[in-house]
Amino acid sequence: MKTTDFYYDLPQELIAQTPLDRRDTSRLMTLGRGSGAVGHHHFYELPEFLSPGDCLILNDSRVLPARLLGQRLPGGGACEVLLLIDRGDQTWECLVRPGKKLRPGARVSFGSGELTGEIVGEVEGGNRLVRFDYEGIFLEVLERLGKMPLPPYIKEELQDQERYQTVYSKVLGSAAAPTAGLHFTPELLETIAKKGVEIGYVTLHVGLGTFRPVKEDTIEEHPMHSEFCTISPETADLINRTKARGGRCICVGTTSCRTLESWAEEDGHMEAKAGWTDIFIYPGYRFKVMDGLVTNFHLPESTLIMLVSAFAGREHVLAAYEEAVRERYRFFSFGDAMLIS
């Protein structure tokens, strides 16, 4: 398939730059997977579309304040380091700026020397390996010095960093939020549970590759990024129980979807598992587990809109996106949501 098959025209003013005051007041478009029928609602109405016996699967990954602003040593020139993957031995794979100044051997400092680092290597694609030096616990240092790594299409500084975390986030490790979950409140989750919908958690640490554009003309040639994900025994058992009783498995976000579909057996049976996944889901893929998807609106020609199109049909998805533009929905991380079922 051609990458251009997944293009739609999005006015820049519809890209949400700031979150709403209350998470669940965002709009919710419903899309019938088979029919393509579209409905317009609000996110707090989500429980009306869930049934007793269903299960809802959430990604509990928590975003690292992984953007570090500091100075090059010696000389004090400004630099930026964005943590991507913990490679062990106090060394992280990072994006760095300015790249020409931060070659192996260069040193950097953050927070008046509270955290320092040395570029110790360069990997394929231009990312750097940075070995850090600090006192105490690295994540605590990062909480003090780091900033939230917002997507490139968000231009405004986020005043409340917690607003870029889901209310159920728990396991630190993501370079970006699993944004479909940003719409949930504790009260909404309680309402869903009281309805008889069981809630389970997976962990997929979102990498910045999720924002990487598809540059190939043919989507099958796109090299998919890898991300680490985990399914616990409790969540695997929940999914198996749900399927056995005829309930639906509804994923919150493409990250939850990719986690389940990576490890499910062909008959949909789940086992506990952890590891790296580079699954690339596009039209023609046969879903093994997922019966419904709560998701945000995605970038044109992105791997995420390709996944959604695989689930609901490209024509249905693009028609729904065109209606969302006409109806002035808010797009992307701080925007509105879609339920496909």
Side-chain angles (χ1 to χ4, degrees), residues 103-291:
R103 301 293 186 184
R107 299 184 66 248
V108 291
S109 173
F110 309 95
S112 300
E114 183 179 353
L115 176 67
T116 60
E118 180 182 353
I119 314 300
V120 296
E122 185 171 343
V123 299
E124 185 178 355
N127 292 348
R128 307 295 197 269
L129 297 177
V130 183
R131 181 180 297 128
F132 290 100
D133 187 47
Y134 51 89
E135 294 289 336
I137 299 172
F138 182 68
L139 292 179
E140 292 181 356
V141 174
L142 201 59
E143 288 283 355
R144 288 193 296 274
L145 302 181
K147 293 180 175 292
M148 204 57 69
L150 296 175
Y153 47 74
I154 293 180
K155 308 302 181 184
E156 297 191 20
E157 191 75 23
L158 185 62
Q159 298 303 312
D160 177 10
Q161 295 204 129
E162 197 64 24
R163 194 57 183 81
Y164 195 55
Q165 306 279 11
T166 64
V167 297
Y168 48 80
S169 64
K170 183 172 63 174
V171 186
L172 273 170
S174 278
T179 55
L182 294 178
H183 305 281
F184 286 88
T185 65
E187 296 80 11
L188 185 60
L189 289 170
E190 184 178 352
T191 298
I192 289 169
K194 286 181 177 178
K195 188 166 183 177
V197 176
E198 293 191 77
I199 297 174
Y201 297 91
V202 297
T203 303
L204 182 142
H205 292 316
V206 185
L208 290 185
T210 193
F211 303 114
R212 183 184 301 158
V214 177
K215 297 180 179 179
E216 291 72 16
D217 293 335
T218 304
I219 67 174
E220 292 87 350
E221 298 176 0
H222 174 69
M224 193 66 176
H225 59 285
S226 294
E227 294 165 314
F228 191 83
C229 59
T230 303
I231 299 175
S232 68
E234 295 79 11
T235 298
D237 289 345
L238 167 60
I239 293 168
N240 292 334
R241 289 198 315 272
T242 300
K243 291 290 189 178
R245 66 183 175 231
R248 298 176 301 166
C249 178
I250 298 170
C251 292
V252 174
T254 57
T255 59
S256 297
C257 166
R258 293 180 68 241
T259 301
L260 298 192
E261 295 294 327
S262 292
W263 306 132
E265 298 177 9
E266 286 302 316
D267 63 358
H269 183 76
M270 297 295 308
E271 296 285 348
K273 193 166 182 179
W276 292 88
T277 180
D278 60 358
I279 189 172
F280 183 12
I281 298 175
Y282 51 83
Y285 178 84
R286 186 184 68 82
F287 287 84
K288 301 186 286 287
V289 177
M290 186 172 73
D291 301 301

Side-chain angles (χ1 to χ4, degrees), residues 1-73:
M1 299 188 74
K2 298 296 184 182
T3 300
T4 52
D5 291 338
F6 299 89
Y7 177 80
Y8 68 94
D9 187 33
L10 176 66
Q12 289 293 304
E13 66 268 20
L14 295 186
I15 299 174
Q17 294 296 315
T18 56
L20 298 176
D21 290 338
R22 184 170 173 83
R23 294 170 183 259
D24 62 358
T25 56
S26 58
R27 297 171 74 185
L28 176 67
M29 173 181 281
T30 55
L31 175 62
R33 185 183 180 190
S35 66
V38 167
H40 303 285
H41 308 273
H42 286 90
F43 201 82
Y44 53 75
E45 298 175 77
L46 178 64
E48 298 177 17
F49 301 98
L50 306 177
S51 301
D54 290 343
C55 71
L56 195 67
I57 304 299
L58 311 173
N59 179 9
D60 64 5
S61 183
R62 186 169 175 82
V63 186
L64 288 163
R67 183 171 171 242
L68 292 164
L69 304 177
Q71 295 78 41
R72 305 193 304 275
L73 298 175

